[in-house]
């Protein structure tokens, strides 16, 4: 009976996932609307031309007002709890657009929330305690200190927030830390050694925001002022050279907005970068007046879906496989990328112009191509190039970073367990396709990657991921997600003859022990169970010795499919600079993967062995 229920649920989930394919034959998905993105977009459009963009600005502000949390703050998604970054930017948006009076109640509520949160972060700030108006006034020095506290040494997002607050008049420019935009005039080969205060993907922000800060508050150092004056035009040319044709840096609304508002605020509204940035923002607004954090994750969601369906060999028709294969091959970068100067051979998260090759989408594409089952010469050449691209990215510690090798220790540049595990899966799967020299190099890289994972496994057996979190967990961490992905990689490596010591068993024990009483999983034990996290855990544990945990998790998913609740996405996506998002297809894809894995594991269990269901 249990097997029949799983089969029925899997059939329903698979049908739903296949129905999400678009007319072009792949998956596009839909990212959640973002209060942060909406706030930055309206500020940017207002800086460019408030009158010309009056309708879009009014729509964005109205959407923000309608989605303010009851506590007065905003979260990144409509399901997220309030945070200081998003609340500060929304508060700034109303001020920058001259809407304080129209939305007086919401603006006052935001100020009160910011004050409370800032005092929690900077409890010894005496000025705030002594100020008589405790509800509406947010001392600028307090707010600046609190925002800096959230991000520490990483200025990738703290400086853009402070700059936006300054543009809105909420704080003075003296509270905005400078950015050394003049360094962007150096050859890109120097960037890793310079240890810049921003991560590799934030070069556009470094240039544009650095220049507008210098414009509004020039440095007092005469040598620095001279150098910045001499490099202003050159760095603007660099900025123009890395902007994609549609204007959207990384297809990301916040990054594009920050660049656009910065240039407009220093008087270069007619610059090509400014115009193209505004065009991107106008074209990416949604019908309800909001903006998403990014345009889409089409390549990422498609490779995830292909891998999920691979547990069911007949789920995709030959025609669908051919279409997906051709589309995926067309997304591989064949020339050096102008943004990160990544070599040819990688894949980005989207097929749109703002994508950048990275070390999560490249192994995803490599595994998806093999899962489609048609490795002809063209596919083999693409796969070998992708393997080589990842080999060249491996850091000295044996781990894999997101975009650039050896850039620095800030998030998204340092090695991470989830990216390393994904890459190990791809390398080991492609070994039979490699020539002798490439195979030897890849084998060495796999062993180095395993050593990295051994060093990064925590005492409880878990690993922390980079690109996913749980805002209800301490530190926003999500060891469930990181551990599940590493377990899947270690299982595949073991099947291909690679030993990992006790890493696998310790990780599986941790995952089973993190199960909630209801049979599902959250980011950590005791946090509400979600479809995404439960599905990831079930896929990882299926076929292990943790039969009871797998059974309970599968039953939890089956019940969710039966009730329809499985389609409800959760904000576990952890985007750049601690920005949350949810993706409509994640629960569908991972449920199909989990139940498909359970069914496949049952099929290979001998009649004498205990079954999973």
């Amino acid at each position: 009976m249990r097997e029949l229920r799983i089969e029925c649920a899997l059939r329903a989930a698979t049908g739903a996932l296949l129905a999400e394919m678009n007319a072009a034959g792949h998956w596009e998905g839909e990212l959640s609307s973002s209060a942060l993105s909406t706030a930055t977009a309206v500020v940017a459009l207002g800086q460019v031309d408030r009158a010309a963009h009056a309708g879009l600005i009014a729509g964005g502000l109205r959407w923000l007002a309608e989605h303010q949390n009851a506590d007065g703050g905003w979260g990144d998604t409509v399901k997220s709890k309030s945070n200081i970054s998003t609340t500060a930017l929304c508060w700034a948006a109303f001020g920058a657009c001259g809407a304080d009076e129209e939305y007086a109640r919401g603006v006052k509520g935001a100020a009160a929330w910011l004050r409370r949160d800032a005092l929690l972060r900077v409890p010894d700030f005496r000025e705030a305690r002594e100020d008589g108006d405790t509800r509406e006034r947010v001392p600028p020095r307090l707010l600046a200190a609190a925002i800096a506290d959230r991000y520490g040494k990483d200025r990738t997002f703290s400086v853009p927030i402070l700059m936006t607050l300054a543009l809105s008049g909420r704080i003075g420019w003296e509270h905005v830390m400078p950015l050394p935009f003049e360094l962007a005039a150096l050859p890109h080969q120097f960037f890793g050694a310079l240890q810049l205060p921003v991560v590799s993907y934030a070069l556009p922000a470094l240039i544009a925001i650095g220049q507008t800060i210098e414009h509004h508050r020039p440095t007092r150092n005469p040598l620095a002022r001279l150098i910045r004056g001499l490099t202003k035009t050159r760095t603007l040319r660099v900025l123009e050279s890395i902007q994609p044709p549609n204007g959207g840096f990384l297809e990301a609304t916040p990054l594009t907005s920050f660049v656009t508002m910065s240039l407009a605020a220093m008087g270069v509204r007619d610059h090509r970068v400014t115009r193209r940035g505004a065009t991107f923002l106008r074209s990416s607004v949604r019908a309800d007046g909001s903006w998403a954090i990014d345009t889409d994750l089409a390549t990422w969601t498609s490779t995830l879906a292909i891998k999920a369906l691979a547990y069911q060999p007949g789920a995709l028709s030959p025609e669908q496989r051919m279409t997906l294969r051709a589309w995926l091959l067309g997304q591989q970068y064949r020339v050096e990328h102008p943004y990160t100067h990544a070599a040819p051979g990688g894949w980005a998260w989207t097929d749109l112009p703002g994508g950048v090759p990275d070390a999560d989408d490249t192994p995803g594409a490599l595994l998806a191509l093999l899962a489609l089952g048609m490795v002809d010469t063209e596919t083999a050449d693409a796969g070998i190039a992708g393997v080589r691209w990842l080999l060249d990215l491996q850091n000295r510690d044996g781990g894999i970073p997101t975009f650039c090798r050896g850039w620095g220790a800030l998030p998204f540049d340092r090695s991470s367990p989830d990216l390393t595990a994904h890459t190990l899966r791809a390398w080991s799967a492609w070994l039979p396709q490699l020539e002798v020299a490439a195979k030897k190099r890849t084998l060495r890289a796999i062993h180095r990657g395993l050593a990295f994972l051994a060093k990064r496994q925590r005492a409880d057996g878990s690993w922390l991921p980079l690109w996913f979190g749980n805002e209800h967990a301490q530190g926003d961490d999500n060891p469930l997600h990181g551990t599940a992905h590493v377990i899947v990689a270690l299982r595949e490596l073991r099947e291909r003859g690679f030993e990992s010591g006790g890493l696998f068993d310790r990780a599986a024990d941790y995952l089973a022990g993190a199960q909630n009483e209801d049979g599902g999983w959250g980011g950590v034990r005791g946090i509400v169970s979600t479809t995404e996290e439960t599905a990831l855990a079930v896929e990882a544990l299926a076929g292990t010795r943790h039969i009871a945990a797998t059974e309970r998790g599968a039953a939890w998913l089956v019940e969710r499919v039966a009730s329809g609740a499985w389609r409800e996405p959760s904000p576990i996506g952890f985007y750049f600079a601690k920005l949350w998002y949810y993706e409509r297809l994640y629960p569908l894809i991972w449920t199909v993967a989990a139940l498909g894995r359970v069914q496949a594991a049952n099929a290979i269990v001998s009649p004498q062995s205990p079954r999973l269901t």
Side-chain angles (χ1 to χ4, degrees), residues 270-603:
D270 292 328
H271 193 281
R272 189 179 183 188
V273 174
T274 314
R275 295 198 310 269
R276 292 165 105 184
T279 297
F280 173 81
L281 295 175
R282 288 193 296 269
S283 65
S284 56
V285 66
R286 292 181 164 173
D288 63 0
S290 69
W291 278 262
I293 204 82
D294 210 272
T295 307
D296 68 46
L297 309 178
T299 304
W300 173 245
T301 53
S302 294
T303 58
L304 285 177
I306 293 167
K307 290 185 294 179
L309 292 166
Y311 291 119
Q312 305 173 72
L316 291 169
S317 70
E319 293 77 13
Q320 289 172 321
R321 290 171 182 268
M322 290 180 63
T323 298
L324 283 165
R325 170 187 165 278
W327 181 77
L328 267 182
L329 291 175
Q331 306 316 313
Q332 187 176 34
Y333 285 80
R334 308 293 175 137
V335 297
E336 180 182 286
H337 197 280
Y339 194 134
T340 57
H341 296 279
W347 277 265
W349 59 92
T350 180
D351 57 346
L352 297 171
V356 175
D358 67 81
D360 216 4
D361 292 283
T362 298
L366 291 173
L367 291 167
L369 287 172
L370 290 179
L372 292 172
M374 297 176 285
V375 185
D376 56 8
T377 301
E378 182 183 13
T379 304
D381 289 345
I384 292 168
V387 167
R388 183 171 58 247
W389 190 87
L390 289 168
L391 288 169
D392 291 340
L393 198 69
Q394 189 172 31
N395 277 330
R396 291 181 180 179
D397 61 8
I400 303 295
T402 305
F403 295 119
C404 301
R405 181 181 188 274
W407 180 284
L410 296 178
F412 306 106
D413 287 326
R414 61 175 176 243
S415 302
S416 64
D418 47 334
L419 301 186
T420 303
H422 206 185
T423 297
L424 293 180
R425 292 180 64 190
W427 280 341
S428 63
W430 275 89
L431 278 174
Q433 308 293 332
L434 304 180
E435 296 181 354
V436 175
K439 184 175 293 187
K440 288 182 178 179
R441 184 186 176 193
T442 305
L443 286 169
R444 289 194 298 269
I446 290 173
H447 288 296
R448 291 179 62 211
L450 284 170
F452 169 80
L453 290 178
K455 291 178 182 177
R456 293 292 293 271
Q457 188 175 33
R458 302 199 301 174
D460 60 5
S462 67
W463 286 273
L464 296 180
L466 175 60
W467 287 96
F468 290 85
N470 190 303
E471 62 180 347
H472 301 292
Q474 183 177 2
D476 294 335
D477 291 330
N478 196 327
L480 175 285
H481 194 284
T483 306
H485 280 294
V486 176
I487 287 175
V488 171
L490 294 178
R491 180 175 66 220
E492 293 180 3
L493 287 164
R494 186 172 62 182
E495 292 170 352
R496 294 165 185 151
F498 294 91
E499 294 299 327
S500 59
L503 300 184
F504 181 91
D505 288 337
R506 288 197 299 273
D509 290 346
Y510 167 82
L511 205 58
Q515 189 171 30
N516 287 331
E517 293 298 324
D518 63 1
W521 277 265
V524 296
R525 181 176 173 80
I527 289 178
V528 63
S529 301
T530 70
T531 300
E532 294 95 331
E533 290 157 330
T534 302
L536 290 170
V538 170
E539 181 188 8
L541 290 177
T544 70
R545 63 190 180 189
H546 297 286
I547 297 170
T550 308
E551 284 186 348
R552 293 178 61 218
W556 190 94
L557 287 174
V558 167
E559 291 298 329
R560 298 280 288 187
V561 173
S563 69
W566 72 298
R567 287 177 173 268
E568 189 65 28
S570 303
I572 64 168
F574 207 30
Y575 202 62
F576 301 126
K578 295 187 176 182
L579 309 185
W580 297 98
Y581 75 90
Y582 57 82
E583 161 56 60
R584 184 169 55 82
L585 291 185
Y586 281 165
L588 279 68
I589 291 170
W590 286 329
T591 296
V592 169
L595 297 181
R597 167 64 187 168
V598 168
Q599 188 176 70
N602 277 341

Side-chain angles (χ1 to χ4, degrees), residues 98-174:
D100 279 355
E101 185 175 346
E102 182 180 358
Y103 293 99
R105 182 176 180 182
V107 170
K108 291 179 181 178
W113 188 96
L114 286 168
R115 185 186 184 86
R116 291 193 301 270
D117 188 77
L119 279 172
L120 290 174
R121 294 177 181 275
V122 192
D124 58 347
F125 190 86
R126 295 190 58 176
E127 177 189 339
R129 294 179 183 276
E130 295 169 358
D131 175 25
D133 186 358
T134 58
R135 285 185 55 82
E136 299 176 17
R137 186 173 182 273
V138 188
R141 189 159 59 91
L142 168 63
L143 184 57
I147 290 171
D149 174 77
R150 187 184 188 201
Y151 294 101
K153 294 180 180 180
D154 187 356
R155 297 185 182 181
T156 303
F157 207 54
S158 59
V159 174
I161 295 171
L162 294 172
M163 178 204 66
T164 308
L165 287 165
L167 288 176
S168 70
R170 302 297 196 196
I171 66 173
W173 285 96
E174 68 273 15

Side-chain angles (χ1 to χ4, degrees), residues 188-211:
H188 70 87
Q189 292 88 347
F190 287 88
F191 291 167
L194 289 172
Q195 298 291 293
L196 296 176
V198 299
V199 294
S200 57
Y201 67 82
L203 187 60
L206 175 74
I207 297 170
I209 296 175
Q211 288 204 16

Side-chain angles (χ1 to χ4, degrees), residues 239-282:
L239 183 62
E240 185 174 349
S241 72
I242 63 178
Q243 187 179 33
N246 70 346
F249 292 99
L250 300 181
E251 295 296 321
T253 297
L255 179 57
T256 306
S257 297
F258 287 135
V259 171
T260 303
M261 73 173 75
S262 297
L263 298 183
M266 55 187 263
V268 287
R269 293 176 176 82
D270 292 328
H271 193 281
R272 189 179 183 188
V273 174
T274 314
R275 295 198 310 269
R276 292 165 105 184
T279 297
F280 173 81
L281 295 175
R282 288 193 296 269

Side-chain angles (χ1 to χ4, degrees), residues 39-118:
T40 59
V42 299
V43 173
L45 292 174
Q47 290 292 319
V48 172
D49 190 330
R50 191 188 296 184
H53 299 120
L56 293 177
I57 292 170
L61 294 177
R62 184 168 54 252
W63 187 91
L64 290 175
E66 292 172 351
H67 292 88
Q68 187 173 17
N69 289 338
D71 61 8
W74 282 268
D76 297 334
T77 77
V78 297
K79 301 181 180 183
S80 300
K81 62 182 182 180
S82 301
N83 68 68
I84 192 170
S85 304
T86 304
T87 303
L89 287 168
C90 292
W91 185 55
F94 289 103
C97 298
D100 279 355
E101 185 175 346
E102 182 180 358
Y103 293 99
R105 182 176 180 182
V107 170
K108 291 179 181 178
W113 188 96
L114 286 168
R115 185 186 184 86
R116 291 193 301 270
D117 188 77

